Amino acid sequence: MSTRDFKPKGSLAPLKNVASMLRLAERLIERPPHLPGLGVFNGFSGYGKTFAAIYLQNKKNALRVEIGDSWTRLTLIRAILKELGVHDPKGTVPRLTEMAIERLAVPDHPPLLIDEADKAVDKGFIEIIREIHEATQVPIILIGEEELPSKLQRSERTHNRVLEWVAAQPCDLEDTQLLARLFVPDMLRYSEAFLERLRQKSGGRARRITVNLEKAVEWGRVHGSTELDAFPDIEFYTGEPPARGRRAA
């Protein structure tokens, strides 16, 4: 069976980082009106932050934008407006910000998720996100790398309005078992020891775990084996570049 044809067997909801993202959103949504509604979800690359954000987007009908390397204030506001259903927003940054505020200020509006929020700090337009939050009181979750909390200290007004800080955690064995149940076909067998080895080789990163599960499934197919415990250590993807071979004299 080709892994390209294999469909995951369930939801990513039980993963601990997904559950943490949901709890963060609920905290912001249900907060008393006198409290700020900014939340931060940060962690190392590959920990599954974007998976969690996409799940929340579907679960809570949230809006989600992912800031690109080339983005400006105008790009950000246009992206938010497109998520709000404005087909081709045109105008100045102040005018488009006003339009976004008008649409987000409705009571009980779903959360707004800003992925790669580090870039908003680095590029100097995190304050426009704070402005939108203050004018609308819509829950906003800033998602970024492990240094996002320290970066936000550059913008004291934004930093002071964060209600909840949540750090994404590496996958544990239970998370790895869940991912294996989702992505490994039923005819293949594996032990808990194999999953722990895979987890360690993957550095606890959900993205690498799924890549290595795919590699192990494909290895089993190629070698005609249903026992994934035999998957060799050398085949694991660890993120490290391959060692340089020695040149022949």
Side-chain angles (χ1 to χ4, degrees):
M1 176 180 181
S2 171
T3 55
R4 294 188 183 89
D5 301 326
F6 180 66
K7 300 296 188 296
K9 295 177 284 188
S11 165
L12 291 180
L15 287 176
K16 291 180 178 62
N17 284 331
V18 174
S20 294
M21 176 74 85
L22 284 172
R23 285 194 296 269
L24 172 59
E26 293 290 353
R27 172 78 170 104
L28 299 178
I29 291 167
E30 296 174 4
R31 76 191 191 278
H34 63 280
L35 293 181
L38 288 181
V40 171
F41 193 80
N42 67 289
F44 288 95
S45 175
Y47 274 14
K49 302 184 300 294
T50 297
F51 285 159
I54 292 171
Y55 182 85
L56 177 60
Q57 181 181 10
N58 294 327
K59 186 76 171 178
K60 297 291 185 181
N61 199 30
L63 309 179
R64 181 170 98 52
V65 297
E66 184 173 334
I67 298 176
D69 289 329
S70 63
W71 281 30
T72 64
R73 288 176 176 83
L74 180 59
T75 319
L76 173 65
I77 295 301
R78 281 175 53 86
I80 292 172
L81 282 168
K82 287 177 182 177
E83 283 293 305
L84 288 164
V86 181
H87 175 63
D88 187 22
K90 289 185 172 63
T92 63
V93 169
R95 174 58 190 140
L96 294 180
T97 302
E98 183 181 347
M99 289 174 58
I101 287 171
E102 288 171 357
R103 287 162 172 79
L104 288 167
V106 299
D108 301 320
H109 196 286
L112 171 62
L113 314 180
I114 308 291
D115 210 344
E116 301 287 349
D118 312 71
K119 295 172 184 174
V121 183
D122 295 340
K123 294 172 178 292
F125 55 81
I126 191 67
E127 284 289 326
I128 201 167
I129 298 172
R130 179 196 58 80
E131 177 186 349
I132 289 171
H133 168 64
E134 294 217 329
T136 64
Q137 292 303 299
V138 67
I140 297 179
I141 299 178
L142 305 174
I143 304 163
E145 298 300 312
E146 69 278 7
E147 294 181 0
L148 178 58
S150 61
K151 286 185 176 184
L152 283 170
Q153 291 179 336
R154 302 177 200 166
S155 172
E156 184 177 356
R157 289 189 296 178
T158 304
H159 190 276
N160 287 341
R161 285 162 178 80
V162 175
L163 179 64
E164 198 85 16
W165 307 84
V166 177
Q169 300 299 314
C171 288
D172 59 13
L173 179 59
E174 187 178 0
D175 285 331
T176 308
Q177 289 169 332
L178 173 62
L179 289 168
R181 289 197 297 270
L182 291 172
F183 294 108
V184 176
D186 291 334
M187 75 281 293
L188 299 181
R189 294 187 294 273
Y190 50 84
S191 68
E192 188 174 286
F194 164 75
L195 293 181
E196 177 58 24
R197 180 164 60 101
L198 180 146
R199 187 192 71 81
Q200 292 183 12
K201 292 289 185 180
S202 303
R205 284 166 160 81
R207 185 180 301 128
R208 288 184 190 168
I209 289 171
T210 55
V211 168
N212 279 320
L213 287 170
E214 169 102 7
K215 285 172 68 70
V217 169
E218 183 66 11
W219 177 89
R221 185 190 68 79
V222 170
H223 291 82
S225 174
T226 60
E227 300 290 342
L228 296 188
D229 284 45
F231 185 69
D233 280 358
I234 196 171
E235 295 292 338
F236 279 113
Y237 170 69
T238 65
E240 295 294 326
R244 295 178 62 183
R246 297 174 61 184
R247 291 185 179 181

